[in-house]
Amino acid sequence: MRLDKYLKVSRLIKRRTVAKEACDKGIISINGKVAKSSSVVSEGDIIELKFGEKINKVKVLEIKEHVLKNEAKEMYEVIE
């Protein structure tokens, strides 16, 4: 699955366009490498989101096309 779509479906970022813009700015990385919005996300990947001083690290547990709001948090595990 594309990174921008995963971020939207998992609700780490509310909108896909915002996720794409964040990727273009270089504030999102997968496994330690700056990622483009078209980068492929796989189970077990570590995604790092940098928003100002705050850094969120999550591990991808599963990938689904459509998820209910209350099930979205099951798609990832917060590391930091």
Side-chain angles (χ1 to χ4, degrees), residues 13-14 19 28 30 32 35 41-42 44 46-47 49 55-57 69 72-73 79-80:
I13 296 180
K14 287 187 177 185
I28 299 178
I30 298 175
V41 177
S42 305
I46 305 294
I47 299 175
L49 301 99
I55 298 175
N56 292 340
K57 261 188 179 175
K69 185 176 183 179
K73 292 190 177 197
I79 298 173
E80 286 182 26

Side-chain angles (χ1 to χ4, degrees), residues 4-77:
D4 57 348
K5 186 171 183 181
Y6 180 82
L7 292 171
K8 184 217 177 266
V9 171
S10 66
R11 291 176 171 76
L12 287 166
I13 296 180
K14 287 187 177 185
R15 294 189 188 99
R16 190 167 176 180
T17 54
V18 175
K20 184 182 182 318
E21 290 170 4
C23 293
D24 292 343
K25 290 180 184 177
I27 61 173
I28 299 178
S29 60
I30 298 175
N31 298 325
K33 297 179 183 175
V34 176
K36 294 182 180 179
S37 59
S38 61
S39 299
V40 178
V41 177
S42 305
E43 291 180 8
D45 285 347
I46 305 294
I47 299 175
E48 189 173 298
L49 301 99
K50 298 174 192 166
F51 293 110
E53 297 294 317
K54 188 177 179 183
I55 298 175
N56 292 340
K57 261 188 179 175
V58 296
K59 181 178 181 181
V60 178
L61 298 179
E62 60 183 338
I63 296 175
K64 294 182 180 178
E65 291 292 322
H66 301 285
V67 182
L68 297 174
K69 185 176 183 179
N70 57 352
E71 296 173 354
K73 292 190 177 197
E74 297 171 9
M75 293 180 67
Y76 61 89
E77 172 188 359

